[in-house]
Amino acid sequence: MKSSDISVEEQPVYPTSSKKKVDWSRVEAEADKEEEEGEAAIEKLFQKIYKDNPDDVKRAMMKSFAESGGTVLSTNWADVQKGKVEVKPPDGMEFRKWEQ
């Protein structure tokens, strides 16, 4: 049970020397909202793109991501099916193969 499920009257009150009263339910709700704005929001976007598109788009996403080592994510199957997807690291970075 989350603290937001408990009414304000039922929530325990802890002793404090602060004169300012804090609504911890609001603070928790804001923290949850911020969490959805970061990587969780990006992940949710990619899941939506993958789920809501035809098989060709899914195939292009999987092939481009796998062949590029995670540096490319394409939804255009016409381009991806032509050959191997090249690695394209972000600007200022270089790609190195894993060596054991």
Side-chain angles (χ1 to χ4, degrees), residues 5 33 64 69:
D5 296 339
K33 181 181 175 189
S64 64

Side-chain angles (χ1 to χ4, degrees), residues 1-97:
M1 177 184 276
K2 293 173 65 175
S3 63
S4 59
D5 296 339
I6 302 171
S7 69
V8 176
E9 295 82 28
E10 294 174 4
Q11 289 182 352
V13 179
Y14 299 102
T16 180
S17 60
S18 176
K19 296 178 189 227
K20 185 171 95 173
K21 194 168 188 173
V22 177
D23 180 7
W24 292 109
S25 301
R26 193 182 92 236
V27 172
E28 181 182 21
E30 288 176 7
D32 289 343
K33 181 181 175 189
E34 287 177 6
E35 186 176 295
E36 290 182 9
E37 292 175 357
E39 288 196 28
I42 294 170
E43 185 175 332
K44 189 175 181 180
L45 172 68
F46 287 135
Q47 287 175 351
K48 185 177 185 301
I49 291 170
Y50 189 83
K51 181 183 77 158
D52 295 341
N53 281 294
D55 288 340
D56 282 349
V57 171
K58 294 176 184 177
R59 192 177 305 125
M61 289 176 73
M62 294 297 290
K63 184 176 189 279
S64 64
F65 190 80
E67 290 183 353
S68 70
T71 60
V72 176
L73 184 63
S74 175
T75 58
N76 188 346
W77 179 243
D79 288 342
V80 174
Q81 73 177 352
K82 292 177 183 174
K84 187 170 183 340
V85 178
E86 292 183 29
V87 175
K88 295 182 184 173
D91 292 338
M93 309 277 294
E94 70 178 65
F95 177 76
R96 295 186 197 175
K97 290 195 174 205

